[in-house]
Amino acid sequence: MTDPQDTDPASVRKNTPGRGVRPEATAIDPAAPDEFGLVQVWWGDGKGKTTAALGMGFRAAGHGYRVHMLQFMKGGADSVEAVRGEYNAIAAMPGFSYENLGHYGWAGLKDGSDDADHAKQADAGLARAKELVAGSADADLTEPLDLDGDPEDGVHFLILDEILYAVAMDLLSEDDVLELVEEKPENLELVLTGSHDNPTYLHDVADLVTNVRKVKHPIDSGQRARRGTEY
């Protein structure tokens, strides 16, 4: 039987992390997370996989943790302008950095791009991801990191955006990604995104697997990518 005292408003507030105090913005100073170290997988045919990863990245950076995003397969395309709102926002955010190893166009499509170039970029992305994971393994992730430091010197939160698409398109192998997860240091939060195909090969090693499902999407009726929502 539940003790009524455990459910009264005062007790509920007392047992929450913020003790019922309304949160407010504070200055961002270098800090270290207490509970990082999970592997997150975001896949599906719905819009929002990268967006979710970015949202968590901004949240982590807002606490003073060092965050980096490495993007696979996101080069230029005729459907978007040569600017992305998230890059501008990341550049203005202390402790958050990014890099892009995509190539123009999309692998497997007749859009004028060369599939061999896509494969070369994916291989370069994998090599860079290994470098970033190794740098974090050498760093003390239980301590604050320089918010302006090079990402290869260690980060608390690493996003490998669209890496799962690279596997689905046979630009990388499942074993490539599994090896990255295996090499991940204990306190590094690792987020992997992409792919309309279920990455079942990761189910046993991931702590969180989210399927972002499409119910309805304006692209199906001809809506092109919009500045401020898709890029």
Side-chain angles (χ1 to χ4, degrees):
M1 186 174 181
T2 303
D3 186 341
Q5 197 172 28
D6 293 337
T7 58
D8 73 72
S11 296
V12 170
R13 284 197 300 272
K14 183 179 178 181
N15 290 321
T16 60
R19 300 295 190 266
V21 177
R22 185 181 298 277
E24 295 181 356
T26 60
I28 297 175
D29 296 313
D34 295 326
E35 299 180 290
F36 273 14
L38 301 185
V39 176
Q40 300 190 32
V41 172
W42 292 74
W43 73 280
D45 63 354
K47 168 181 164 60
K49 299 179 288 293
T50 296
T51 304
L54 283 167
M56 288 185 291
F58 276 104
R59 181 176 287 161
H63 285 291
Y65 309 151
R66 186 68 177 88
V67 180
H68 187 70
M69 178 176 68
L70 171 63
Q71 289 193 309
F72 292 71
M73 304 183 65
K74 278 192 172 173
D78 291 335
S79 59
V80 298
E81 300 173 45
V83 63
R84 293 211 176 100
E86 60 263 39
Y87 294 172
N88 296 338
I90 288 172
M93 184 74 186
F96 202 158
S97 55
Y98 76 92
E99 57 191 295
N100 185 317
L101 283 169
H103 188 272
Y104 170 82
W106 196 251
L109 296 183
K110 295 179 179 180
D111 54 11
S113 62
D114 190 330
D115 283 354
D117 288 334
H118 287 296
K120 183 178 179 179
Q121 288 291 323
D123 287 340
L126 178 64
R128 179 57 171 162
K130 290 181 176 180
E131 184 179 28
L132 294 167
V133 169
S136 294
D138 290 337
D140 184 355
L141 301 186
T142 66
E143 294 293 330
L145 298 173
D146 183 356
L147 298 183
D148 295 320
D150 293 330
E152 56 267 29
D153 292 333
V155 297
H156 297 114
F157 193 105
L158 177 61
I159 302 167
L160 300 181
D161 186 42
E162 313 294 22
I163 190 172
L164 304 183
Y165 274 125
V167 174
M169 296 182 177
D170 294 324
L171 299 175
L172 299 177
S173 72
E174 295 177 0
D175 287 341
D176 289 331
V177 179
L178 287 168
E179 184 177 341
L180 277 176
V181 174
E182 184 177 338
E183 294 175 352
K184 180 192 80 69
E186 180 181 3
N187 295 307
L188 174 65
E189 191 83 6
L190 181 63
V191 179
L192 313 171
T193 78
S195 182
H196 287 191
D197 301 328
N198 188 349
T200 54
Y201 58 95
L202 287 170
H203 286 193
D204 288 341
V205 297
D207 300 284
L208 179 150
V209 178
T210 297
N211 179 2
V212 181
R213 298 179 59 188
K214 180 183 75 171
V215 176
K216 186 177 182 180
H217 198 300
I219 196 172
D220 296 332
S221 59
Q223 173 70 58
R224 291 170 63 89
R226 295 178 299 152
R227 183 184 180 105
T229 57
E230 280 74 48
Y231 65 91

